[in-house]
């Protein structure tokens, strides 16, 4: 009896490991992992760009040699706005890069590959109940309101 229960536990473990392996090897999980790794690396590059190039340019304009250390104090509380501005600039650069290098090209590609037929302009909305009715209809089939035929 104990031998059978031990064998059943072993089979459950093998089944769980098989299911876990199938889960990990699905395309979307692997793609997500690759995206996270590349996103982290890209974020590090943009952070370095902001800290090493953009911040010194802004610091040259504002007269401060270390832009990230810009602060102000109110009633003894210190507010470090320079580092916050660095992070906002980094976020905007990442968002712009993703938009112009990923979103726009993918949208253009999808527009070229669009296989849906054009929208059929043979219906219109009933002014009373907003149901779709044929353009040539003089009365709505849903609420029986006279709508007049469009020509």
């Amino acid at each position: 009896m104990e031998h059978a229960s031990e064998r059943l536990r072993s089979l459950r473990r093998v089944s769980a490991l098989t299911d876990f392996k199938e889960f990990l090897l699905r395309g979307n999980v692997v793609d997500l992992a690759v995206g996270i790794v590349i996103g982290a690396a890209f974020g590090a590059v943009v952070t370095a760009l902001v800290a090493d190039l953009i911040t010194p340019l802004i610091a040259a304009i504002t007269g401060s040699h270390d832009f990230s250390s810009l602060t102000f104090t109110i009633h003894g509380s210190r507010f470090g706005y320079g580092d916050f501005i660095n992070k906002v600039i980094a976020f905007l650069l990442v968002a712009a890069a993703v938009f112009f290098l990923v979103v726009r090209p993918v949208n253009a590609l999808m527009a070229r590959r669009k296989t849906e037929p054009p929208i059929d302009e043979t219906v219109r909305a009933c002014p009373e109940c907003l149901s779709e009715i044929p353009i040539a209809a003089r009365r709505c089939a849903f609420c029986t309101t006279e709508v007049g035929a469009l020509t």
Side-chain angles (χ1 to χ4, degrees):
M1 185 78 164
E2 285 183 33
H3 183 64
S5 65
E6 185 63 36
R7 188 168 192 200
L8 183 61
R9 272 190 238 127
S10 175
L11 286 174
R12 284 185 189 153
R13 245 183 267 129
V14 169
S15 176
L17 288 175
T18 302
D19 291 344
F20 185 66
K21 184 174 96 174
E22 287 175 9
F23 168 75
L24 288 179
L25 295 180
R26 277 190 205 159
N28 53 359
V29 173
V30 174
D31 291 343
L32 179 63
V34 169
I36 289 171
V37 169
I38 289 178
F42 184 71
V45 168
V46 171
T47 300
L49 172 73
V50 169
D52 298 334
L53 297 175
I54 294 175
T55 298
L57 286 174
I58 294 173
I61 294 169
T62 62
S64 174
H65 61 284
D66 186 10
F67 185 63
S68 64
S69 67
L70 294 177
T71 62
F72 65 91
T73 305
I74 298 176
H75 297 294
S77 295
R78 183 176 166 269
F79 296 89
Y81 68 93
D83 190 46
F84 174 74
I85 291 174
N86 275 348
K87 290 189 178 12
V88 168
I89 292 170
F91 169 77
L92 291 174
L93 288 174
V94 169
V98 168
F99 179 74
F100 288 110
L101 298 176
V102 177
V103 173
R104 287 194 70 185
V106 168
N107 286 347
L109 179 66
M110 296 306 282
R112 266 191 267 138
R113 297 194 64 197
K114 189 174 183 180
T115 58
E116 298 173 4
I119 297 173
D120 189 13
E121 300 290 336
T122 61
V123 295
R124 64 181 169 147
C126 169
E128 189 66 31
C129 69
L130 301 177
S131 299
E132 288 187 350
I133 57 173
I135 288 179
R138 289 180 282 169
R139 185 177 293 273
C140 178
F142 300 99
C143 68
T144 69
T145 300
E146 286 190 40
V147 291
L150 292 179
T151 56

